[in-house]
Amino acid sequence: EFAAVKELSAALSGHFGDVDDPYRALALLIEEFSAKLPPGQHAVGAGAKATLKKSGSRAALEEELGDVVLSTFYLANALNVDLEAEMQAKYARLKKQFNLDI
């Protein structure tokens, strides 16, 4: 649930004393995207077509995905962005853009 993750993110950012620092939040998000890659591993390509060499376990990847989501909420809190509202708006735009009946 969005509200619970947002509340957890706000509590954690308050614990570390940097609730209003979007640059710190962005740095943490970037760290979550890159810190767990094995040495020498990097993305191939750019944008939606970027790929990574497969390595590690699925469980480790799932845990990292959770860290990315939490870090995303942390950044949203630092920028005072209603991430749930942004996601709902994006969902509606994509449904319309791609003529999806879901």
Side-chain angles (χ1 to χ4, degrees):
E1 179 176 298
F2 272 82
V5 176
K6 183 176 180 180
E7 186 177 334
L8 174 61
S9 176
L12 289 173
S13 61
H15 174 77
F16 292 110
D18 47 16
V19 175
D20 296 324
D21 186 354
Y23 297 101
R24 168 108 171 103
L26 181 58
L28 289 172
L29 182 57
I30 291 167
E31 178 183 338
E32 288 303 331
F33 275 114
S34 62
K36 305 303 187 240
L37 295 176
Q41 191 173 56
H42 60 279
V44 177
K49 295 184 180 182
T51 59
L52 286 173
K53 179 182 169 190
K54 293 181 182 179
S55 67
S57 71
R58 178 169 175 101
L61 182 60
E62 289 173 0
E63 183 177 341
E64 291 310 316
L65 183 58
D67 289 346
V68 167
V69 170
L70 186 59
S71 295
T72 301
F73 272 90
Y74 182 69
L75 177 58
N77 286 340
L79 294 170
N80 197 27
V81 171
D82 183 345
L83 198 54
E84 185 172 9
E86 290 299 324
M87 290 299 300
Q88 289 173 349
K90 176 62 88 173
Y91 177 77
R93 284 190 303 270
L94 289 173
K95 277 180 56 175
K96 184 176 179 180
Q97 178 181 347
F98 294 102
N99 196 28
L100 299 174
D101 188 25
I102 55 174

